[in-house]
């Protein structure tokens, strides 16, 4: 069984299917496929340009909307109050649903006061357009500021997290605030696959490196792993991580792979001062 992470009452399946860099036809093929396989968490964003395909995929899956934990994100150029509300309305229309389960600020944007961004998040939550709210790509300082400004609790910070990038301070801050950490780029854009330490652990369990990395993520308290693939076979492989465990020594050996230059995603003009 893949666990559920609970944060401020939100029950978030610890394995989510990601849809970044996925074209419409792939989304419409893969989303119903993974839902039929048992995945119950799907992650998209306005900026991915595929919310309508995600909505179609969920509708075509035969899985009830209420059984799927659906996340989308508001892009940084829509953080002014009115634009924010309109962006979420458009997301819901495209997703063919009257609410998402989780709505995130996609990246920080200093051009709009954080209080206004958090105010808009709370407003759409009050209106029932999302059940829960959170942030993405926030530093510990921004997490604390955002949490202090928010009437409703923030339930996650979605950040890059894989064996080459330590997220120890962000994870500690999330735990302190009662939040979860949602990990993206688990495969480090493919770089983890050739890692000898991971290959040895994978061999010891008769598993793949991808499974070991995803297992390492979901085995950490409060951590949710996102995983994207356009392949049915790889989707089945990635989801099959509920029936084995890594030892404490293996968990530690994977943590020890973190390196100072491990971060991959840090777009100029968007990235905050990282921890
Ligand atoms: N909040 C943010 O700013 C942010 C940023 C990035 C991502 N995300 C979210 O996080 C999700 C996951 O991130 P991601 O899609 O960038 O990275 P990822 O899940 O680490 O996947 C990276 C690549 O690994 C390949 N892969 C997947 N499973 C594999 C396996 N078992 N063996 C070998 N290769 C495998 C996939 O290629 P194939 O498709 O060819 O299998 C995929 O393109 C995204 O889809 C998105 O929902 C959020």
């Amino acid at each position: 069984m893949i666990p559920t992470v609970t944060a401020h009452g939100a029950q978030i399946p610890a394995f989510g299917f990601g849809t970044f860099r996925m074209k419409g036809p792939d989304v419409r093929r893969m989303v119903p496929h993974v839902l039929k396989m048992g995945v119950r968490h799907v992650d998209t964003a306005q900026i991915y340009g595929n919310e309508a395909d995600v909505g179609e995929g969920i509708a075509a899956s035969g899985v009830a909307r209420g059984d799927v934990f659906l996340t989308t994100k508001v892009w940084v150029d829509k953080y002014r109050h009115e634009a924010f509300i309109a962006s979420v309305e458009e997301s819901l229309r495209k997703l063919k649903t009257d609410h998402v389960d989780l709505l995130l600020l996609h990246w920080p944007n200093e051009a709009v006061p954080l209080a206004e961004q958090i105010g808009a998040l709370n407003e759409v939550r009050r209106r029932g357009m999302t059940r829960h709210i959170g942030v993405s790509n926030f530093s510990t300082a921004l997490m604390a500021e955002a949490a202090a400004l928010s009437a409703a609790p923030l339930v996650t910070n979605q950040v890059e997290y894989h064996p080459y990038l330590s997220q120890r301070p962000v994870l500690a801050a999330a735990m302190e605030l009662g939040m979860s950490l949602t990990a993206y780029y688990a495969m480090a854009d493919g770089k983890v696959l050739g890692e000898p330490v991971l290959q040895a652990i994978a061999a010891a369990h008769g598993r793949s490196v991808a499974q070991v990395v995803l297992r390492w993520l979901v085995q950490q308290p409060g951590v949710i792993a996102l995983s994207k693939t356009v392949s049915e076979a790889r989707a089945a492989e990635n989801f099959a991580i509920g029936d084995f465990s890594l030892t404490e020594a293996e968990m530690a050996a994977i943590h020890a792979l973190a390196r100072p230059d491990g971060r991959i995603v840090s777009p100029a003009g968007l990235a905050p001062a990282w921890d």
Side-chain angles (χ1 to χ4, degrees):
M1 270 290 286
I2 293 182
T4 294
V5 171
T6 303
H8 292 295
Q11 299 214 318
I12 312 174
F15 180 94
F17 186 72
T19 59
F20 181 41
R21 299 184 287 192
M22 257 179 107
K23 297 204 171 19
D26 287 328
V27 172
R28 294 196 299 275
R29 174 174 54 87
M30 290 304 295
V31 166
H33 178 80
V34 300
L35 290 175
K36 282 178 195 153
M37 223 168 63
V39 173
R40 288 293 177 269
H41 175 177
V42 178
D43 181 90
T44 183
Q46 262 274 325
I47 200 75
Y48 299 169
N50 60 19
E51 287 173 310
D53 305 292
V54 169
E56 265 184 52
I58 293 173
S61 70
V63 175
R65 167 68 192 90
D67 291 338
V68 181
F69 191 95
L70 176 60
T71 301
T72 196
K73 317 180 191 86
V74 179
W75 190 242
V76 294
D77 63 354
K78 302 290 192 310
Y79 284 176
R80 284 286 174 191
H81 195 87
E82 294 306 314
F84 193 104
I85 308 289
S87 171
V88 181
E89 283 169 348
E90 187 185 340
S91 287
L92 295 179
R93 219 168 25 246
K94 288 179 175 166
L95 288 163
K96 295 174 247 315
T97 184
D98 62 0
H99 72 280
V100 288
D101 296 279
L102 179 58
L103 184 74
L104 307 179
L105 299 174
H106 205 144
W107 282 88
N109 178 4
E110 285 179 356
V112 177
L114 188 58
E116 182 169 348
Q117 303 174 33
I118 297 293
L121 263 182
N122 277 273
E123 165 84 16
V124 294
R125 183 182 175 278
R126 264 194 307 274
R127 288 198 203 175
M129 295 157 84
T130 185
R131 291 174 56 223
H132 304 286
I133 55 176
V135 295
S136 179
N137 298 299
F138 269 39
S139 61
T140 54
L142 283 170
M143 286 167 78
E145 207 182 319
L149 287 167
S150 193
L154 302 173
V155 305
T156 206
N157 184 13
Q158 185 180 125
V159 293
E160 176 181 347
Y161 189 23
H162 46 72
Y164 294 134
L165 179 63
S166 167
Q167 285 291 17
R168 192 186 293 252
V170 175
L171 189 51
M175 296 303 97
E176 202 140 295
L177 292 166
M179 296 168 66
S180 60
L181 186 154
T182 305
Y184 73 71
Y185 259 50
M187 305 296 151
D189 214 19
K191 290 183 187 63
V192 296
L193 301 171
E195 171 60 50
V197 170
L198 296 171
Q199 287 170 344
I201 295 172
H205 288 272
R207 300 282 173 159
S208 69
V209 168
Q211 288 176 315
V212 167
V213 170
L214 292 167
R215 179 70 212 180
W216 170 74
L217 286 169
V218 303
Q219 208 170 302
Q220 297 174 50
V223 176
I224 296 141
L226 298 178
S227 168
K228 166 265 174 188
T229 178
V230 295
S231 148
E232 281 88 348
R234 285 193 287 280
E237 175 189 330
N238 295 353
F239 189 50
I241 54 168
D243 59 347
F244 77 108
S245 303
L246 300 170
T247 64
E248 288 207 2
E250 289 167 337
M251 293 292 289
I254 300 173
H255 278 294
L257 294 171
R259 51 198 201 203
D261 65 346
R263 189 182 297 279
I264 299 167
V265 186
S266 192
L270 287 176
W274 299 114
D275 292 280

